[in-house]
Amino acid sequence: MTAPLTPPPHEPSSQAAHPAQSSSQQASPPAPAGYTGVASTPHESVYGQDGPGMKTEVREAAVVTVVVALCGALLGVLWWWLAPQVQLVGAMVEGGWVVLVKDTEGEQAVGVDGTFTLLALAFGAVSAVAVFLWRRRGGVPLVVALAVGGLLGSVLAWRVGVWLGPTSDVIAHAKQVGKGVTFSAPLRLGAKGALLAWSLAGLLVHVGLTALFGPRDPEPEQLPHGAPPA
């Protein structure tokens, strides 16, 4: 007689062997299509667009103000060197010294103011370009720094030019050179509005560069088709 065949014991299924794994797989829903990896936090995604903090911007603005203002010394030297000279002549009238303008119809005095204004406009444009290339971004502190630094630089340039030019005591100068001898008048800035040329040029150029080449606000990302909103 042959022994009856005993069926082999039933092997547990992989689902029964790993109940914890199966339950964990069923509990976690599949990731939406088009999204893989770990999503970045909102702070990480916008940090590059916000720029530095306010303290950093204030420190940078202070540096810009000082550097721009110190450049006024160079403007003063150029103004003293390039400005036309107003010629004066000394004379004796009733026993006293008087100083007269040699060429009463000349435009040298207007040229002195015009030279200062053109140089200030050029310095304002150059300083605005330099600040934009350094920061590549706008901002209220930088704009204020350009305006204040330009005004301080213009005042410094004015005083340096007057200091480098001929003495302001024209009577003493006329006595020194002698009667009827022509000498140069001291540098004078007749149009005080020229002191604002540097600041205005810096503001306009910097705002224009920021509008044309500055960073743009990021466009909102669009979700893939059929994906639920976050």
Side-chain angles (χ1 to χ4, degrees), residues 113 116-117 120-121 154 189 191-198:
D113 294 345
F116 186 93
T117 303
L121 291 175
S154 297
L189 189 63
K192 297 302 188 291
L195 296 174
L196 300 176
W198 188 334

Side-chain angles (χ1 to χ4, degrees), residues 23-155:
S23 60
S24 62
Q25 291 178 354
Q26 294 177 0
S28 60
Y35 287 89
T36 58
V38 181
S40 60
T41 60
H43 176 72
E44 295 174 350
S45 61
V46 301
Y47 178 78
Q49 299 294 336
D50 290 343
M54 181 57 66
K55 292 183 179 180
T56 303
E57 290 187 354
V58 171
R59 286 195 298 267
E60 293 177 349
V63 173
V64 170
T65 302
V66 173
V67 173
V68 171
L70 291 179
C71 291
L74 178 59
L75 173 59
V77 173
L78 292 176
W79 179 46
W80 163 72
W81 183 35
L82 298 176
Q85 297 181 354
V86 179
Q87 300 298 324
L88 303 178
V89 61
M92 293 286 296
V93 176
E94 297 180 357
W97 281 90
V98 294
V99 177
L100 305 173
V101 179
K102 184 177 182 180
D103 186 6
T104 57
E105 297 182 357
E107 298 181 354
Q108 288 83 3
V110 178
V112 172
D113 294 345
T115 302
F116 186 93
T117 303
L118 292 177
L119 289 173
L121 291 175
F123 271 68
V126 171
S127 61
V129 171
V131 171
F132 179 79
L133 292 178
W134 175 49
R135 284 286 287 112
R136 293 284 184 180
R137 188 183 296 271
V140 176
L142 286 180
V143 173
V144 174
L146 282 173
V148 176
L151 180 59
L152 295 177
S154 297
V155 174

